Amino acid sequence: MRTSRAAAGIGALVLFAGLSGFTYAPSANPPGCDPNAPGSCDKYHSDDPYVGGGQVTKAAPKTVVMTNFSFLPATVIGKPGEVWTEDNEDIATHNITTQKRADHPKSKADTGGDIAPDVMSHQKKTFKMPTKPGTYKAVCFYHQNMVLTIVVK
């Protein structure tokens, strides 16, 4: 029995489609990496083209600066409901989300921002400190390697 070129081509296509379902998965993720959390597995280096060169930026009073995929300062102290500014000096969108919400989003579409909303690259937005005194561990929902401690008293 002779096989036509069309049948051989279809057979090759079916074989390719079946084999393409195999994917490579590294055996271990780096510490703090959650493949289901956007940005948590990103690795940033000061020589990456979209990351600043590690220069230190000084934050204005009542301001959280997002720079080099980190929060500056890393710990802030504010009063309940006090108005602050988030200043995004990075190329990516950031927000300030409680660690609790980042760990347990309300839905698949939830992108956090329960403390401070998304702020686009090179933009500023104001936000209010939580109204309940306490210490809050916060992250950027998109880049959860960015960690911020907020003390409200």
Side-chain angles (χ1 to χ4, degrees):
M1 182 177 219
R2 185 172 179 178
T3 306
S4 71
R5 286 185 186 179
I10 291 172
L13 189 59
V14 169
L15 177 62
F16 175 77
L19 291 175
S20 68
F22 294 102
T23 59
Y24 170 75
S27 59
N29 290 316
C33 170
D34 177 358
N36 298 316
S40 73
C41 299
D42 294 347
K43 294 183 181 81
Y44 302 104
H45 305 283
S46 61
D47 60 343
D48 285 345
Y50 297 110
V51 177
Q55 65 274 20
V56 176
T57 301
K58 185 174 181 183
K62 297 183 185 177
T63 301
V64 176
V65 177
M66 295 130 165
T67 183
N68 298 316
F69 289 86
S70 62
F71 291 112
L72 184 72
T75 301
V76 295
I77 301 171
K79 296 177 182 174
E82 188 173 50
V83 176
W84 279 58
T85 300
E86 54 181 337
D87 179 0
N88 185 355
E89 294 182 359
D90 275 335
I91 195 153
T93 298
H94 297 302
N95 64 29
I96 303 174
T97 304
T98 57
Q99 183 69 59
K100 182 178 179 181
R101 177 124 173 225
D103 291 342
H104 304 287
K106 293 182 177 183
S107 70
K108 278 191 154 196
D110 184 6
T111 58
D114 56 332
I115 294 178
D118 285 2
V119 60
M120 304 299 286
S121 173
H122 301 288
Q123 300 289 318
K124 295 179 183 182
K125 280 192 178 178
T126 58
F127 68 97
K128 289 185 179 181
M129 284 286 174
T131 56
K132 183 179 176 185
T135 299
Y136 298 81
K137 183 173 180 184
V139 296
C140 169
F141 188 85
Y142 306 111
H143 310 98
Q144 293 183 19
N145 57 321
M146 296 173 64
V147 179
L148 174 66
T149 301
I150 299 173
V151 179
V152 177
K153 54 180 174 177

